[in-house]
Amino acid sequence: MIQKIHIWLRSWVMSATLLSVASNYAYSQATDQMQVKGLVTNDAGEGLKGVSVMIKGAKNGVQTDANGHYTIRAASTATLLFTYTGFNSQEIKVNPSGVINVKMSGNNVLDQVVVVGYGTAKKKDLTGGLAVVGKEQLIMVSTSNLMDRLVGQVAGFSITTGEAAPGASQTLLIRGENSISANNSPLIILDGIPYSGSLADIDPNNVENLSILKDASAAAIYGSRAANGVILIQTKRGALGRAQVNYKGLIGMAEPMQRINVMGPNEYIRFQQDIARIRQGYTGALLDPIAGDIISVTERGNYAKGITNNWQDYVFRKAMTMDHQLSISGGTENTKYMAALAALDQEGVVYNSKLSRLNITTNVDQTFNKWLTTGVGLQYTRKSDGGITPNLEHAIKQSPYGSYKDESGKYVPEPMEYSLIVNPMRNVNAIQDRYNNNFFLSGYANILLPVEGLSLRSNFGYNYRNGFTGTYYGRNTFEGRDQGTQAGGSASINNSNYNDYTWENLLKYERQIGDHRFDVTGLFSMQKTKSWSTAQSGAGFVTDDTEYFMIGSARRLVSNSASLSESAMLSYMGRINYAYKGKYLLTLTGRTDGASVFGINNKFAFFPVAAAAWQIGEERFLKDNAKWLDMLKIRLSYGANGNQAITPYRTLDRLYSNVKYIWGDDGTAVTTAYLAGDGVGNPNLKWETTYSTNLGLDFQLFKNRLSGTVDAYLSKTRDLLMTRTVPIMNGYNRIWDNIGATQNKGIEVTLNSANVKGENFQWNTTAVFSLNRDKIVELRGDGIDDIANNWFIGQPLRVFYDYKMIGVWQNGETITVDGVAPGAAKLYDRDGNGKIEASDRVVIGSKNPRYTASLANRFSYKNFYASALVTGVFDVWRDDHMANLGAWTFGITNYVHDANYWTPENPNATIVSPGYLNPLGHGYYKKVSYVQVKNITFGYKLPHKIAKKVGVNGIDVNVSVNNLNTISNIREVLNYDNTWMASYPTARSYMFGLNVNF
């Protein structure tokens, strides 16, 4: 018996020992960590950045780098989970090789999560008109200005760079103009908070995604100011995974894309001779450049010596740009972070112009527990762009024989002895310091309430901006010179400040019950803004050494001013999203807004919107019979949005106090308050409201080889905010009122095609087309046009109204109009009475283009890639400055090379005679179209193995050229977006880019 027990115990111990060894072996196999690495790509073989790689059942994970590579430590028996927005998730077990390459697939367009008002949504579930700007579009143009990267790439979104100086703001329009007098700019939302600063302050490398809300439904949740559309910008935030450090750098050189091709020395002399013989009847010796009187004394001296100047060489230059950004991002399950530091140093292509910009950005998201998540974001920008630039018009029109500098090296004030066209450089030695600081803070708290699907979110934003400009014209400038017994020097200081805060609280409820999905959102929002400024100026200083810092010592022309403006808004909003079987979608939105800028009787207004969408491609009659159809959705929306973009205090009576009166013969000047002609307020002033209808079609065909969006819209705006004229017997002659109506309609088309989708070579194309027509429906209710403001019922909002030139009068031609001679402009006689008078003026055409278009192509071959973007603006009426010979030359200045102007020897000219004095002061106009090669880029991504050898995860190098060339039916302009031929020129830049991921 004892022996049996002994044998049993020995067997049990042996079994236990074997079991323990086996368990320990299995445990060690399960817990022994190994390094797993690989590459994650899409169907086209392109590396995907930001794919989440998690160990299933654990909290730790990493993200793929810029080239799609990842490295993670995991147990040999673990399973890795790969997830990426818009792609199907994948689970793959670790294999002994330690290498797992993954190709992500799925309907990444349909399931793409996009930013919408107060939240996100899948693209396939949208009911409103919304354009999503992808990363490919954001990086396609290599500039440091965010909006420059989007010109022409979004249907219905117009970006006009009227002033192309570094750091200058652009004019932004979504679906054209609705308002005549109020602001037509879209509302900008940055990280969920209304943003009133300049988009030129934002570092484009920090933008994660951008959405353009275009129709009433998409923009309705922002009711106030949403009549002009909404731009949603989301900056980059941290993500789960180890810290990733990224460097992005740009260095390049810029020059004016083109110059004004003016007359050379010999051609200029011939032109002056033509002016003298036609206008003044000179002949013989009087036309001689030295003995005659066709040029100034100074010009004659330089002509005799053979001295000439190319004035555009003095005002234009080759300019350098350096842009560097260093960022770090990462996070754990509970804490995610991102921080970036960027420095831009950009010279302008015009002498003395420049931009220095420093951007600091941080975003932190913290999850405290299952029900509370908070986040905070900070953006700080310091910008400097001061400098007195030369007068470009004076440089272009200057005589080639004018004097640039005198013997002492000082600029000659009047090179042609002509005070109307002076030396463009005569004030460039002035001191000007201009600084702008922008501090933007955004934060949120998201709370999951103890009811399934119910959550509360509170958003807070604060923005503070201040600007300083200090300018001093010393004695080495014309403006600050000593004048007789008066001491020289002129100084000015301007300080501006602005702040606003926004506080929003949202209650959201989401549920899926069978085939029914509900999403209900309620909002309470308040916003307050305040801006104030001070200014000082004076002249006459003992010394230039103190510059503007001793402005209090000015002896004369002392001026002080200050201003203050405040406004506030209060809003309530409700939105319901409903979906049945994911095929039938309905959105109902209502928002009430109150704004302090309106009259006491009409502070608040209600804006309702309804939208519906039908995923018709999911219906069996299509899904079963049209295998080539991947998605087809029809959208329809109608609703109202408001515009309150007028300056404060228009509803209140306003006294002006900028006039001084002297009371009595021996009295002293005192400031007097008075009621100006527009100083009476209107307590009934209310919201301008736009009612919009949008019909949209979204489609994807041939396994997403061809996709696109087509939208047609019609907007009618009522209660226009504008000034009306009243009889002066009231004591005033103008008052703000809600009068008139406009209409705006158009078509937008966006097409995306995957032309080639091979294993090594891919070619994708995006084409964008926009057509917009606006018109004035009514003005003041009496059917009468407002000729003084060029507003005409039934015509576009912005038009040229003038005498219409139909040719040039010729010798031997029967001239039917009194007071004109051969070579004069032949003007359209509207009523045929043989006289050209005010009633003969007509609407020439619209200042807005009939349509715009763009074509973008992207190529990739293995690690090489390339892209090209071409944009076009068509049929927009502009001033034809080249044809306006008299206003250009004044009978004495330079003119355009090879201009086809009328002389008795050149009767077939298209430009009037130099002798034509234009007694009616009419303009010259031309319908203009231009196509611009916006960007061409070539790049190469180093293989991961090579990058690892130098200690980094990825290296991307590229070269690009921006604004390579413009093809147009006009030539002599510096910037095709500007009607003025001497505006700041568009720059052609050659850039080298480097992107390194650590």
Side-chain angles (χ1 to χ4, degrees):
M1 184 67 179
I2 294 175
Q3 186 177 3
K4 288 182 179 181
I5 294 174
H6 177 69
I7 294 173
W8 180 82
L9 286 173
R10 186 173 63 180
S11 301
W12 183 86
V13 171
M14 185 176 294
S15 299
T17 302
L18 291 173
L19 181 61
S20 176
V21 170
S23 298
N24 287 333
Y25 177 76
Y27 177 78
S28 65
Q29 290 291 307
T31 57
D32 284 349
Q33 297 286 305
M34 62 180 295
Q35 180 173 279
V36 182
K37 60 183 180 179
L39 173 66
V40 182
T41 61
N42 58 17
D43 288 330
E46 300 167 330
L48 294 175
K49 177 185 177 181
V51 177
S52 176
V53 185
M54 299 281 294
I55 299 174
K56 189 176 181 180
K59 294 183 177 182
N60 59 312
V62 297
Q63 280 192 325
T64 56
D65 61 20
N67 297 308
H69 295 278
Y70 73 93
T71 302
I72 189 173
R73 295 196 64 82
S76 58
T77 57
T79 298
L80 298 186
L81 176 63
F82 297 83
T83 57
Y84 194 59
T85 301
F87 289 83
N88 299 325
S89 299
Q90 294 191 42
E91 294 184 11
I92 302 176
K93 290 185 176 181
V94 173
N95 58 55
S97 70
V99 177
I100 300 178
N101 294 323
V102 180
K103 178 177 288 188
M104 303 290 286
S105 60
N107 199 341
N108 59 328
V109 177
L110 287 178
D111 290 332
Q112 180 184 4
V113 176
V114 299
V115 178
V116 296
Y118 300 114
T120 59
K122 289 186 177 181
K123 196 171 183 180
K124 66 180 181 181
D125 294 334
L126 297 176
T127 58
L130 180 150
V132 180
V133 179
K135 293 181 181 179
E136 289 182 338
Q137 292 168 285
L138 286 172
I139 65 174
M140 195 168 185
V141 179
S142 53
T143 70
S144 302
N145 189 312
L146 176 60
M147 289 296 105
D148 280 347
R149 301 190 177 197
L150 299 180
V151 172
Q153 296 201 70
V154 180
F157 184 30
S158 168
I159 304 171
T160 305
T161 308
E163 186 69 11
S169 298
Q170 295 102 326
T171 299
L172 310 178
L173 290 175
I174 297 176
R175 292 186 167 178
E177 297 179 284
N178 296 307
S179 181
I180 295 179
S181 297
N183 197 322
N184 283 288
S185 299
L187 174 65
I188 299 170
I189 304 294
L190 179 61
D191 288 338
I193 302 297
Y195 178 75
S196 58
S198 171
L199 291 178
D201 291 347
I202 298 175
D203 180 10
N205 292 321
N206 284 337
V207 176
E208 177 68 20
N209 53 62
L210 190 149
S211 300
I212 311 294
L213 312 185
K214 296 188 285 188
D215 76 337
S217 176
I221 199 164
Y222 292 107
S224 61
R225 298 165 296 173
N228 300 316
V230 182
I231 302 174
L232 297 180
I233 301 174
Q234 192 74 33
T235 59
K236 294 179 179 179
R237 308 192 79 87
L240 182 66
R242 62 180 181 83
Q244 292 194 22
V245 180
N246 184 260
Y247 166 78
K248 292 183 179 180
L250 279 175
I251 184 170
M253 185 275 292
E255 62 184 357
M257 184 179 67
Q258 62 189 38
R259 295 186 178 191
I260 303 296
N261 192 14
V262 296
M263 291 179 169
N266 294 331
E267 189 179 11
Y268 171 74
I269 293 298
R270 288 195 301 272
F271 178 59
Q272 295 302 322
Q273 289 171 335
D274 286 339
I275 292 176
R277 67 189 180 92
I278 294 175
R279 184 179 297 184
Q280 295 159 317
Y282 285 3
T283 59
L286 291 175
L287 296 175
D288 185 81
I290 296 178
D293 190 30
I294 62 172
I295 54 178
S296 67
V297 174
T298 300
E299 290 176 280
R300 291 177 215 164
N302 288 334
Y303 178 85
K305 298 175 184 177
I307 298 174
T308 61
N309 288 292
N310 186 335
W311 292 88
Q312 292 182 67
D313 284 344
Y314 303 138
V315 298
F316 296 139
R317 64 181 180 182
K318 295 186 184 298
M320 295 298 297
T321 296
M322 289 190 295
D323 189 5
H324 306 281
Q325 192 214 47
L326 189 65
S327 65
I328 181 171
S329 64
T332 64
E333 190 74 20
N334 296 323
T335 305
K336 300 176 180 64
Y337 60 88
M338 191 284 295
L341 174 66
L344 169 67
D345 191 3
Q346 181 179 5
E347 293 178 336
V349 296
V350 174
Y351 184 88
N352 256 1
S353 62
K354 62 182 183 297
L355 171 64
S356 295
R357 189 182 71 196
L358 175 69
N359 292 85
I360 300 175
T361 304
T362 58
N363 285 320
V364 179
D365 298 279
Q366 178 66 44
T367 300
F368 291 95
N369 46 48
K370 293 182 178 179
W371 57 270
L372 177 60
T373 301
T374 64
V376 63
L378 168 66
Q379 294 194 47
Y380 170 74
T381 303
R382 180 172 175 83
K383 185 172 67 175
S384 172
D385 59 352
I388 301 299
T389 57
N391 188 307
L392 300 184
E393 178 190 359
H394 292 186
I396 292 166
K397 295 181 177 181
Q398 203 65 244
S399 166
Y401 291 110
S403 292
Y404 179 50
K405 290 183 178 180
D406 60 22
E407 294 178 354
S408 63
K410 295 181 179 179
Y411 296 115
V412 176
E414 297 177 3
M416 305 163 58
E417 302 167 20
Y418 187 42
S419 60
L420 194 59
I421 301 295
V422 301
N423 195 321
M425 305 289 285
R426 68 181 188 174
N427 285 316
V428 296
N429 288 329
I431 303 298
Q432 185 177 71
D433 299 319
R434 183 162 55 216
Y435 305 104
N436 290 275
N437 295 283
N438 188 351
F439 176 85
F440 183 79
L441 176 70
S442 62
Y444 73 89
N446 197 59
I447 302 171
L448 299 180
L449 299 175
V451 175
E452 183 182 355
L454 187 64
S455 64
L456 173 67
R457 184 183 176 97
S458 185
N459 298 326
F460 180 79
Y462 175 77
N463 188 204
Y464 173 75
R465 302 195 302 272
N466 80 290
F468 169 82
T469 302
T471 306
Y472 184 78
Y473 292 91
R475 289 165 176 80
N476 60 346
T477 67
F478 182 81
E479 184 75 19
R481 70 193 187 284
D482 291 326
Q483 301 183 56
T485 59
Q486 290 187 336
S490 175
S492 65
I493 292 177
N494 291 274
N495 285 282
S496 63
N497 296 271
Y498 170 91
N499 67 31
D500 68 52
Y501 74 82
T502 302
W503 185 32
E504 299 178 329
N505 292 280
L506 296 103
L507 190 64
K508 193 168 186 176
Y509 180 68
E510 297 177 275
R511 283 297 301 272
Q512 178 84 37
I513 304 176
D515 293 331
H516 306 274
R517 180 169 53 82
F518 301 90
D519 176 350
V520 182
T521 302
L523 166 76
F524 168 75
S525 172
M526 62 175 66
Q527 182 180 11
K528 186 172 183 179
T529 70
K530 179 180 180 180
S531 60
W532 65 103
S533 64
T534 59
Q536 297 174 285
S537 63
F541 295 89
V542 175
T543 176
D544 291 336
D545 294 340
T546 56
E547 299 177 0
Y548 56 79
F549 296 102
M550 295 290 286
I551 196 170
S553 64
R555 296 180 180 179
R556 65 184 189 279
L557 301 177
V558 176
S559 174
N560 295 283
S561 63
S563 66
L564 171 68
S565 178
E566 295 180 290
S567 64
M569 289 188 61
L570 190 67
S571 304
Y572 309 89
M573 184 277 300
R575 178 179 65 185
I576 300 175
N577 286 321
Y578 169 73
Y580 176 66
K581 292 186 176 180
K583 294 189 294 184
Y584 312 105
L585 311 169
L586 177 67
T587 300
L588 300 175
T589 307
R591 176 159 177 154
T592 296
D593 286 301
S596 63
V597 297
F598 292 117
I600 188 136
N601 301 326
N602 293 293
K603 294 288 186 186
F604 286 85
F606 177 68
F607 306 108
V609 178
W614 179 18
Q615 287 280 11
I616 190 172
E618 294 297 311
E619 300 293 349
R620 285 297 175 189
F621 63 85
L622 279 179
K623 197 169 186 178
D624 294 342
N625 298 301
K627 299 299 183 182
W628 47 269
L629 180 65
D630 303 321
M631 186 271 284
L632 182 64
K633 180 173 68 174
I634 300 174
R635 294 176 283 105
L636 178 65
S637 67
Y638 177 78
N641 296 127
N643 187 353
Q644 52 90 30
I646 60 172
T647 54
Y649 315 123
R650 300 300 98 182
T651 63
L652 305 176
D653 295 341
R654 302 171 303 281
L655 292 177
Y656 289 71
S657 58
N658 57 351
V659 173
K660 292 181 181 294
Y661 284 97
I662 297 177
W663 302 98
D665 294 338
D666 299 323
T668 58
V670 295
T671 300
T672 303
Y674 69 99
L675 181 68
D678 63 346
V680 172
N682 182 357
N684 296 315
L685 203 63
K686 61 183 179 180
W687 293 78
E688 181 179 287
T689 305
T690 298
Y691 299 85
S692 301
T693 302
N694 189 94
L695 178 63
L697 183 71
D698 302 326
F699 60 89
Q700 293 179 20
L701 313 174
F702 314 117
K703 296 184 179 179
N704 202 28
R705 295 294 293 268
L706 178 64
S707 63
T709 298
V710 180
D711 278 281
Y713 60 89
L714 173 64
S715 299
K716 296 182 178 181
T717 303
R718 305 173 188 170
D719 299 324
L720 294 178
L721 291 165
M722 54 192 293
T723 56
R724 67 181 301 175
T725 302
V726 296
I728 192 63
M729 67 183 65
N730 293 302
Y732 57 94
N733 61 356
R734 301 182 310 279
I735 187 172
W736 277 88
D737 205 350
N738 293 101
I739 50 177
T742 63
Q743 178 180 290
N744 195 351
K745 60 183 179 180
I747 297 173
E748 300 165 355
V749 180
T750 301
L751 295 175
N752 303 290
S753 66
N755 306 315
V756 179
K757 205 172 182 180
E759 183 177 351
N760 293 322
F761 178 68
Q762 294 85 39
W763 172 24
N764 298 290
T765 299
T766 299
V768 174
F769 174 85
S770 303
L771 179 148
N772 180 265
R773 301 286 185 272
D774 59 44
K775 71 176 181 179
I776 298 173
V777 176
E778 186 53 73
L779 285 171
R780 296 177 174 87
D782 53 11
I784 299 175
D785 298 329
D786 188 337
I787 297 177
N789 288 307
N790 287 352
W791 295 337
F792 302 93
I793 297 173
Q795 295 291 340
L797 275 63
R798 318 291 176 192
V799 297
F800 288 109
Y801 177 72
D802 204 347
Y803 300 96
K804 183 179 180 181
M805 179 178 168
I806 57 176
V808 178
W809 289 109
Q810 302 293 335
N811 279 319
E813 189 174 5
T814 301
I815 299 177
T816 59
V817 179
D818 297 335
V820 299
K826 183 186 293 185
L827 303 178
Y828 174 55
D829 185 3
R830 183 179 181 182
D831 52 19
N833 65 357
K835 297 180 181 180
I836 301 299
E837 47 199 0
S839 59
D840 290 319
R841 291 176 296 170
V842 297
V843 174
I844 305 295
S846 174
K847 296 180 181 181
N848 292 321
R850 290 184 64 83
Y851 59 96
T852 61
S854 70
L855 186 68
N857 283 282
R858 291 174 288 271
F859 309 88
S860 64
Y861 175 71
K862 295 185 177 179
N863 289 350
F864 293 93
Y865 62 91
S867 63
L869 173 64
V870 178
T871 62
V873 176
F874 303 93
D875 292 349
V876 54
W877 281 92
R878 296 280 174 83
D879 287 290
D880 188 357
H881 294 286
M882 180 177 173
N884 198 350
L885 190 151
W888 183 301
T889 70
F890 306 104
I892 194 170
T893 64
N894 205 349
Y895 190 42
V896 180
H897 168 66
D898 206 22
N900 186 24
Y901 60 87
W902 187 94
T903 65
E905 301 78 22
N906 184 33
N908 297 320
T910 56
I911 300 174
V912 296
S913 164
Y916 179 56
L917 299 179
N918 192 1
L920 294 174
H922 64 83
Y924 300 79
Y925 311 96
K926 188 171 186 176
K927 186 183 288 187
V928 174
S929 298
Y930 52 98
V931 175
Q932 191 168 58
V933 182
K934 195 68 181 175
N935 176 269
I936 297 176
T937 297
F938 296 95
Y940 179 69
K941 295 180 180 180
L942 269 69
H944 184 62
K945 292 181 180 179
I946 297 177
K948 292 296 284 185
K949 289 182 179 180
V950 296
V952 298
N953 291 327
I955 299 177
D956 185 336
V957 294
N958 59 76
V959 293
S960 62
V961 57
N962 300 309
N963 302 320
L964 177 63
N965 193 25
T966 299
I967 302 170
S968 177
N969 60 336
I970 60 171
R971 167 64 180 81
E972 304 305 337
V973 293
L974 295 174
N975 176 4
Y976 286 92
D977 280 353
N978 197 313
T979 59
W980 176 229
M981 57 90 182
S983 61
Y984 195 103
T986 299
R988 177 190 295 124
S989 59
Y990 307 90
M991 309 299 294
F992 171 77
L994 175 65
N995 187 358
V996 182
N997 186 267
F998 301 91

